[in-house]
Amino acid sequence: MIDILNSFDFGSLVTAVVLIVIALLLIRSIRIIPQATAGVVERLGRFHKVLNAGVNLVFPFIDVIRRTIDLREQVVDFRPQSVITEDNLVVSIDTVIYYQVTDSKSATYEINNFVLGIEQLTVTTLRNVVGSLDLEKALTSRDTINKALRSVLDEATGKWGVRVNRVEIRDIVPPESVRDSMEKQMKAEREKRASILLAEGTKQASILTAEGNKQADILRAEGSAKAMVLNARADAESQALVADGEAKAIQKVFDALAEASVTDQALAYKYIDQLKELAQGDSNKVWFIPTELSAAAASLARAFGPKA
């Protein structure tokens, strides 16, 4: 047994132990922080530094990572809150908060739970803002409520190292009895608007029909007037053309007589000859001798009588 102990090398054992301890210390001193994450380090119970993303070195057993904080934008859906409006109606309001940690140290040491703080501050602000509005204004003033919440939260959360990016009112639910009354009111309003629109449509249709009839009557009257004018012009032009034709025909007759040197005696004889044809008709029982016949007979007497 003594020989075995003597053969054992205590120096090698100590060296192995030291190497193991150093390896453990090195492992404990290396800290890897993920992207978009920060680590709050305390040295001997006091804040020391903030570890950023990547590989970081700390003193083992002296430095302790108190907390790792996600630096990405977070979305928190708070449970619906019952709020009393100015007209003493209880409404349920559902809110959504978008926030982001900007200072890891403040978010760790300035407040124990900043998410709970944001929720309670949101509830208090909602009751103050909505409590000064009646139900109708509360339902139509979401932007006003959002701005009021954003202003209060920005002021309070700034010292916590948290930035509130957006505040959204997701839903405002009035009591069931109020919802029934609102539905009836909306139905009545829709029916009223429908009746008004129908009456306006009927009125406009009547006006348009009357205007159309009026325009049609005017167009028909204008068409009749233009037609009468055109007919009168056509008759006048036709009569002028007929008269002009007759005048030209008579002029041609006179020109022909003048060229043929027809005497008055020949014309008188032709006139009397035409009277003979008139007298031969069956319907001419009585006929009158025109005054031109005496002039024609006188002309023949002068032509064929004894000359003095």
Side-chain angles (χ1 to χ4, degrees), residues 102-103 105-111 153-163:
T102 57
D103 188 352
K105 178 183 176 181
S106 299
T108 303
Y109 296 104
E110 293 295 334
I111 188 171
L153 290 174
D154 281 345
E155 183 180 356
T157 59
K159 64 180 181 179
W160 300 342
V162 179
R163 181 179 69 245

Side-chain angles (χ1 to χ4, degrees), residues 96-171:
V96 179
I97 305 294
Y98 298 81
Y99 73 90
Q100 187 174 12
V101 176
T102 57
D103 188 352
S104 302
K105 178 183 176 181
S106 299
T108 303
Y109 296 104
E110 293 295 334
I111 188 171
N112 183 31
N113 188 341
F114 57 83
V115 175
L116 180 61
I118 292 174
E119 180 181 6
Q120 295 302 317
L121 190 59
T122 301
V123 172
T124 305
T125 307
L126 274 177
R127 289 175 178 172
N128 291 335
V129 175
V130 178
S132 61
L133 302 173
D134 56 21
L135 178 60
E136 185 176 356
K137 289 184 179 180
L139 293 174
T140 58
S141 303
R142 295 194 179 191
D143 290 338
T144 303
I145 299 173
N146 290 339
K147 290 179 181 179
L149 286 173
R150 175 74 181 275
S151 177
V152 173
L153 290 174
D154 281 345
E155 183 180 356
T157 59
K159 64 180 181 179
W160 300 342
V162 179
R163 181 179 69 245
V164 176
N165 296 326
R166 294 176 61 188
V167 180
E168 294 293 339
I169 302 296
R170 189 165 63 180
D171 197 10

Side-chain angles (χ1 to χ4, degrees), residues 75-290:
V75 182
V76 180
D77 180 13
F78 296 138
R79 62 181 183 275
Q81 300 294 327
S82 298
V83 181
I84 301 175
T85 61
E86 187 180 19
D87 46 356
N88 295 324
L89 293 175
V90 179
V91 296
S92 178
I93 300 180
D94 189 5
T95 57
V96 179
I97 305 294
Y98 298 81
Y99 73 90
Q100 187 174 12
V101 176
T102 57
D103 188 352
S104 302
K105 178 183 176 181
S106 299
T108 303
Y109 296 104
E110 293 295 334
I111 188 171
N112 183 31
N113 188 341
F114 57 83
V115 175
L116 180 61
I118 292 174
E119 180 181 6
Q120 295 302 317
L121 190 59
T122 301
V123 172
T124 305
T125 307
L126 274 177
R127 289 175 178 172
N128 291 335
V129 175
V130 178
S132 61
L133 302 173
D134 56 21
L135 178 60
E136 185 176 356
K137 289 184 179 180
L139 293 174
T140 58
S141 303
R142 295 194 179 191
D143 290 338
T144 303
I145 299 173
N146 290 339
K147 290 179 181 179
L149 286 173
R150 175 74 181 275
S151 177
V152 173
L153 290 174
D154 281 345
E155 183 180 356
T157 59
K159 64 180 181 179
W160 300 342
V162 179
R163 181 179 69 245
V164 176
N165 296 326
R166 294 176 61 188
V167 180
E168 294 293 339
I169 302 296
R170 189 165 63 180
D171 197 10
I172 300 177
V173 182
E176 185 176 357
S177 58
V178 176
R179 290 201 302 269
D180 293 339
S181 300
M182 292 174 63
E183 290 178 359
K184 293 179 181 178
Q185 182 180 0
M186 292 176 62
K187 182 179 180 181
E189 289 291 335
R190 285 194 297 268
E191 292 177 351
K192 177 182 177 182
R193 287 196 296 268
S195 300
I196 293 174
L197 290 175
L198 181 61
E200 289 290 336
T202 304
K203 176 182 177 182
Q204 292 296 327
S206 301
I207 293 174
L208 292 176
T209 302
E211 289 290 337
N213 293 333
K214 177 181 176 182
Q215 293 295 328
D217 293 339
I218 293 173
L219 291 176
R220 282 195 293 269
E222 291 179 352
S224 299
K226 290 181 179 180
M228 293 176 63
V229 171
L230 292 176
N231 291 331
R233 289 179 180 176
D235 293 339
E237 291 179 357
S238 176
Q239 293 177 4
L241 291 174
V242 171
D244 185 60
E246 292 177 353
K248 288 181 179 180
I250 294 172
Q251 185 64 40
K252 288 183 179 181
V253 171
F254 279 110
D255 291 342
L257 292 174
E259 291 178 358
S261 300
V262 179
T263 60
D264 293 338
Q265 291 80 8
L267 291 175
Y269 178 77
K270 185 66 176 175
Y271 186 74
I272 293 173
D273 188 56
Q274 288 293 116
L275 291 176
K276 181 176 68 174
E277 294 180 0
L278 291 174
Q280 291 177 356
D282 295 335
S283 61
N284 295 330
K285 303 299 181 180
V286 179
W287 53 283
F288 297 93
I289 298 175

